[in-house]
Amino acid sequence: KANASAQPEGLAWFVQVIQESPPSLASELSVIYHRLNARLQQERQLREQQRLLRERQLALQVSREMERRYQEEQDRRLKEQQAKAKKADELLIRVKELQGAGRYDEALQLVTQVQMLNPAMGSQLALIQQDLETSKEQSSHQAKAANVERVFADAMKAFEQGNFEQAVGLFEQV
């Protein structure tokens, strides 16, 4: 009967029994009814509190899982950034080596790669790129000047040896 009285129909049946009972029995049954009704309300409140507790625990678990995933993603991004920064530093060292060897076009290509790896280095890379282009231009001018001096020396040598046609051709190249 406890399960039956737990249902609203059970309480309605109990109220009907109280109404049909003699007054002396009805007063005792009424006390029992009020206790039973109070107990049912307490059970409902307890079930509601338990439901709320389960929901909060679930929400807490979800929150912790989201926080863990967020932290993992942050760690992954940090490692990725560190790896890119390390690769960029290695490439910059290689840029300096290539610049020292006079391989400016290769060095400029590496600067472009560094820019893609680490866009935050934009202003520093712009200065490096400008330095490389200036060095490339100076190297080109020096090579041209050395070539002119070599051709001029060859022309003078041909002139001094009496090869005037060869000398004229070389002087025209200058």
Side-chain angles (χ1 to χ4, degrees):
K1 295 283 181 184
N3 287 340
S5 64
Q7 303 294 328
E9 304 90 35
L11 286 179
W13 171 82
F14 198 61
V15 168
Q16 186 180 4
V17 168
I18 292 172
Q19 290 172 351
E20 294 174 1
S21 299
S24 63
L25 182 59
S27 65
E28 289 180 31
L29 289 176
S30 180
V31 170
I32 293 172
Y33 168 79
H34 289 297
R35 286 182 188 165
L36 181 61
N37 195 24
R39 178 71 178 148
L40 287 174
Q41 287 179 357
Q42 287 176 346
E43 285 180 14
R44 281 188 209 121
Q45 288 175 349
L46 181 60
R47 280 193 301 272
E48 180 64 16
Q49 288 173 353
Q50 289 172 341
R51 184 188 65 78
L52 288 173
L53 181 61
R54 282 190 306 271
E55 287 179 5
R56 288 179 181 165
Q57 287 173 338
L58 181 61
L60 184 60
Q61 288 174 346
V62 168
S63 173
R64 286 179 180 157
E65 178 64 19
M66 289 177 68
E67 181 181 352
R68 183 189 64 77
R69 288 181 184 180
Y70 174 78
Q71 190 60 45
E72 285 175 355
E73 180 64 18
Q74 291 298 97
D75 291 345
R76 185 193 64 77
R77 285 182 182 174
L78 179 62
K79 287 178 184 176
E80 185 178 295
Q81 287 174 345
Q82 289 172 341
K84 284 181 178 182
K86 182 179 178 183
K87 180 69 174 172
D89 289 343
E90 291 170 358
L91 288 176
L92 285 176
I93 290 169
R94 182 72 179 136
V95 165
K96 295 294 181 189
E97 291 171 358
L98 291 171
Q99 183 179 18
R103 295 164 57 189
Y104 302 106
D105 290 331
E106 292 176 52
L108 286 168
Q109 287 176 350
L110 288 182
V111 168
T112 302
Q113 288 179 12
V114 172
Q115 177 67 34
M116 290 180 357
L117 283 173
N118 196 349
M121 295 179 69
S123 59
Q124 179 184 359
L125 293 174
L127 293 173
I128 291 172
Q129 189 171 11
Q130 185 179 12
D131 183 43
L132 284 170
E133 289 171 354
T134 301
S135 296
K136 180 181 176 181
E137 194 174 303
Q138 286 175 349
S139 178
S140 176
H141 287 306
Q142 289 172 351
K144 286 179 184 177
N147 188 39
V148 168
E149 287 179 17
R150 184 187 53 77
V151 171
F152 184 76
D154 290 346
M156 287 300 293
K157 188 176 180 183
F159 181 77
E160 290 172 356
Q161 292 175 351
N163 287 336
F164 298 114
E165 285 182 25
Q166 183 183 7
V168 169
L170 290 172
F171 279 123
E172 286 177 354
Q173 290 180 16
V174 175

